[in-house]
Structure formats: C-alpha cells, structure tokens
C-alpha cells in the first residue's frame, strides 16, 4: 500500500489529501477562499497567497489526521507546481519542501491539469482504462481537449484562443449581476430560462478543435445593453433604452449563454474523440460540474462519458495525490530546489523525468 500526501494551492482553494495507491481517497480537505474573492468578482492574487499561508498548516494537519495517519506513514509528498498563480503556488511548494526536508520524504511536483485528469481515478474505476481517451479539461484558467495515450502521455488537440470556459462563465455572471463564482450562479439562473431565446454565437464551429469564447461574451454584453435586439422574437419596440436595460431577462440570457458554451464544448470534444480513435470521453475541471454540460455530453456521445463527482471537479488535494502517485510510480522525483511553473503546459510534463527535473 502506497500513501501519497497531495497538496494543492494553485488558485483559491487550499487543499490537502491522503490517497492510497492512486485511487482510494483516505481524506480530502479543502479550504475555499470564495468568500474572500466574491467582493472582487474574481480571484485577487495577493489576497489568495496570504489566505493560503493562513490555511496551509491546519489544512495539511487535517488531511493527515482525517486519514488517520502521520507523516511516518506517507511515502511521498506531491504538490501542485503549476500552472497557476505564482504567489499561490509558492505557498504550497514551499510548504511541501519543508515537509520533505524535515521528514526525508521524496517530493513530486505535479501539473495541476494532470491533477484534474486524475480526479477521474478517484471516482472509482470499475474497469481498466483502454487508452487512448480524450479528456476535456475545463476550468477557470483552461479549456483544453487532450488525447491521453497512457499514464503521463498527453497530446493537446485543442485549446482556447482567448478566454477559458470557466472565465467566460465568471465574466458573463458579472455582466448579469450574478455572484462569483459565475459557473454555479449561471447554472442556477438558467434553470427557469429558455436556452433558445438568444441565438448566441458558437465560434469556430466545425473548424478544428480550438475554442474561442470572447465573441460570445461580447454578444451577451450586447444583449444586456439591448435586451431585445438579438432576441428571436423581438419585443420592446417603443421602449426607451433605459426601460429596455431594466428589462434584461436574466434567466433567458443565462440559459442561452450556457447552451452556447455547452454546445461548442460537446461538439468539439466529440469531434476530437472520433478523429483520434478514443475509447471514452472524459471531462474534468470546475466547469465539468455543469449539469447541462454533463447531460448534453452524455446524450450526444456514442462513447462512454466519465466525469468526477462534484466535490472533485473543483481544485482539491486528492487529485494531486492521485496524479502524484502515478508520477512517483513512474520514477519522477523533484529536488528541494524545485521552482514553481506558473505556465506549465500539460504536454511537456514528460520533461523533468527522474531526479533534478528539467526546467
Ligand atoms: O477547476 P477550478 O476549481 O479552478 C481552476 O483550476 O480554474 O474551476 C473553477 C471554474 C470557475 O470559473 C467556475 O465558475 C467554474 O469552474 N464552475 C462552473 C460550475 N462550477 C464551477 N462552471 C459552470 N457550471 C458550474 N456548475
Ligand atoms: Zn483547477
């Protein structure tokens, strides 16, 4: 039995978890900073690093005690090295280094996106994975379609050329006056809305595997400023601009926006899966919590669709411990001079194999 301690501080969640053999979650403690950042409508980097400093010690202690273990039972310390906010990453990385130094345990730096991929292992796999699979990683910072041909073998098939999907949810929520984080707010607001009320753009449709969400955001802005102009069945003639602005049908805008994002995520992921002979379609990251995305992907996919349980969609230490386990098993170790990598593409993680990883 191999127990890995995983530590995550790349953005606004401080996480620590103990995972057994890469698949069994023994503990998973997450301290969220959502309340701190809500007033800014997004993550404020300096506030985030300071909050990590306050939270890291108790979160790691609870991660260990919740699993009923001490550091003496742990085989390696895995920590998110990037991508993410530099000041936030540094808190987790330095804490993990301190633990590794004091205990003599090996240190394993983990790519945050690979962590999201391994949240699917923690969901409890009933059957062995038949590679290749295609995974849609959608979070506040990333929208990527990745071909996974084996553990640690990634090829990026598509990415966003502007905003990430989660970022689009967050920005549109702000436009609509809905609270941060935008994803859950929009999902809730969309419940009573008509997804066909507005014909919002599906950018780059049928044109390769890359995404673009900035035009969609602009279209929503236009709908908010002129609520009836883009509507399929215009009303509001004879109203003043002020009357029209006060009349924004939030539920319809939210539902139509969500449908536009979901349609394009689903179409492009399924196109990529078909083009590359995938055996399964996976989704991970904060936006994979979206119920419309899950339902639409399941309905449209000819292949089995998998996604993590809700608690593992957002950032957490368990996914880092799981990814760290597979990396550790493959022989990856990092030295105590390991630096953070705020922009670390998933496709280059094979670099850094063995001791003294390549920067
Ligand atoms: O993976 P994550 O916790 O952090 C990053 O690595 O970025 O993802 C956070 C993102 C936020 O943009 C949030 O609005 C979005 O995930 N999100 C959702 C939902 N829940 C969280 N987006 C759409 N629908 C949701 N239900
Ligand atoms: Zn994340």
């Amino acid at each position: 039995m191999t127990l890995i301690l995983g530590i995550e501080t790349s953005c606004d969640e401080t996480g620590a978890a103990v995972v057994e053999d890469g698949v069994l979650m023994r503990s998973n403690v997450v301290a969220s900073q959502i309340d701190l950042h809500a007033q800014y409508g997004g993550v404020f980097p300096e506030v985030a690093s300071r909050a990590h400093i306050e939270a890291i010690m108790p979160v790691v202690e609870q991660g260990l005690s919740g699993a009923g273990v001490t550091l003496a039972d742990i085989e390696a310390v895995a920590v998110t090295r990037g991508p993410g906010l530099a000041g936030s990453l540094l808190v987790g990385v330095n804490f993990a280094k301190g633990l590794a130094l004091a205990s003599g345990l090996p240190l394993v730096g983990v790519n945050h996106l690979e962590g999201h991929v391994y949240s699917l292992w923690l969901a409890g796999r009933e059957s062995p994975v038949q590679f290749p699979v295609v995974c849609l990683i959608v979070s506040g910072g990333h929208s990527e379609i990745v071909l996974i041909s084996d553990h640690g073998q990634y090829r990026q098939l598509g990415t966003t050329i502007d905003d990430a999907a989660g970022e689009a949810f967050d920005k549109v929520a702000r436009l609509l006056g809905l609270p941060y984080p935008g994803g859950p707010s929009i999902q809730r607001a969309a419940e009573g809305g008509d997804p066909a009320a507005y014909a919002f753009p599906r950018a780059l449709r049928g044109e390769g595997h890359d995404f673009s969400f900035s035009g969609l955001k602009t279209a929503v802005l236009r709908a908010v400023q002129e609520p009836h102009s883009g509507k399929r069945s215009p009303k509001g003639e004879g109203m003043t601009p002020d009357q029209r602005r006060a009349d924004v049908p939030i539920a319809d805008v939210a539902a139509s926006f969500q449908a536009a994002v979901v349609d394009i995520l689903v179409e492009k992921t399924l196109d990529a899966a078909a083009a590359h002979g995938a055996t399964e379609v996976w989704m991970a990251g904060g936006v994979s919590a979206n119920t419309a995305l899950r339902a639409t992907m399941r309905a449209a996919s000819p292949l089995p669709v998998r996604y993590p349980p809700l608690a593992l969609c957002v950032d957490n230490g368990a996914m880092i411990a799981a990814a760290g386990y597979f990396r550790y098993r493959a022989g990856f170790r990092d030295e105590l001079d390991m630096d953070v990598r705020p922009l670390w593409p998933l496709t280059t993680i094979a670099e850094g194999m063995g001791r003294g990883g390549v920067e």
Side-chain angles (χ1 to χ4, degrees):
M1 177 181 75
T2 303
L3 295 180
I4 306 286
L5 171 66
I7 297 176
E8 154 66 32
T9 64
S10 68
C11 190
D12 60 345
E13 261 98 25
T14 318
V18 174
V19 168
E20 184 178 323
D21 296 334
V23 293
L24 183 66
M25 210 159 45
R26 296 272 300 258
S27 66
N28 190 30
V29 178
V30 178
S32 173
Q33 306 173 5
I34 281 178
D35 295 345
L36 282 181
H37 300 290
Q39 56 182 309
Y40 306 109
V43 178
F44 194 105
E46 195 178 314
V47 171
S49 344
R50 289 176 174 207
H52 284 305
I53 287 178
E54 285 176 16
I56 187 94
M57 189 82 186
V59 165
V60 172
E61 277 173 348
Q62 285 165 34
L64 288 168
S65 63
V69 300
T70 68
L71 269 186
D73 304 304
I74 299 291
E75 194 152 331
V77 180
V79 63
T80 307
R81 185 184 179 187
L85 300 168
S88 288
L89 291 165
L90 280 166
V91 177
V93 163
N94 282 333
F95 194 86
K97 284 182 186 182
L99 284 183
L101 179 65
S103 62
L105 289 173
L107 179 70
V108 181
V110 171
N111 182 292
H112 181 78
L113 298 177
E114 187 173 34
H116 276 301
V117 167
Y118 279 92
S119 60
L120 281 136
W121 258 261
L122 295 163
R125 297 204 54 92
E126 66 280 8
S127 54
V129 179
Q130 283 282 312
F131 292 108
V133 299
V134 155
C135 186
L136 171 70
I137 308 175
V138 264
S139 70
H142 297 272
S143 304
E144 313 212 346
I145 301 176
V146 176
L147 182 70
I148 309 174
S149 48
D150 204 340
H151 286 287
Q153 299 296 314
Y154 305 100
R155 187 170 143 210
Q156 187 183 71
L157 302 177
T159 187
T160 179
I161 59 168
D162 40 56
D163 295 344
E167 191 180 357
F169 271 96
D170 294 337
K171 287 179 175 170
V172 164
R174 213 176 314 164
L175 286 178
L176 296 177
L178 299 172
Y180 174 83
S185 302
I186 292 209
Q187 180 176 309
R188 226 173 296 123
E191 272 163 22
D194 174 7
Y198 289 85
F200 288 138
R202 272 81 169 151
L204 305 178
R205 192 172 216 169
E207 295 171 38
H209 306 318
D210 285 341
F211 303 107
S212 164
F213 294 111
S214 69
L216 174 57
K217 192 184 58 197
T218 311
V220 174
L221 176 64
R222 218 174 305 123
V224 170
Q225 287 168 340
E226 284 289 325
H228 302 290
S229 65
K231 236 181 161 184
R232 288 216 169 98
S233 50
K235 55 176 189 175
E237 289 89 356
M239 293 167 86
T240 67
D242 275 348
Q243 281 170 332
R244 283 199 291 266
R245 251 192 295 280
D247 194 30
V248 178
I250 302 270
D252 284 352
V253 176
S256 302
F257 161 77
Q258 181 173 264
V261 176
V262 165
D263 280 354
I264 211 78
L265 291 177
V266 168
E267 277 180 29
K268 289 195 176 247
T269 305
L270 296 183
D271 276 358
H276 293 273
T279 64
E280 294 184 359
V281 171
W282 294 0
M283 298 193 282
V287 182
S288 73
N290 188 272
T291 48
L293 174 60
R294 290 174 169 214
T296 310
M297 190 70 92
R298 270 200 319 266
S301 175
L303 300 170
V305 175
R306 292 180 193 273
Y307 37 75
L310 283 180
L312 295 176
C313 290
V314 291
D315 296 346
N316 63 85
M319 68 185 199
I320 302 305
Y325 167 79
F326 287 97
R327 207 163 158 77
Y328 175 73
R329 209 181 59 171
F332 287 79
R333 306 286 184 274
D334 287 288
E335 297 291 346
L336 289 175
D337 63 354
M338 176 179 86
D339 198 2
V340 298
R341 297 189 68 172
L343 306 170
W344 187 11
L346 180 59
T347 41
T348 64
I349 69 156
E351 297 167 20
M353 181 92 178
R355 292 201 161 268
V358 181
E359 242 324 293

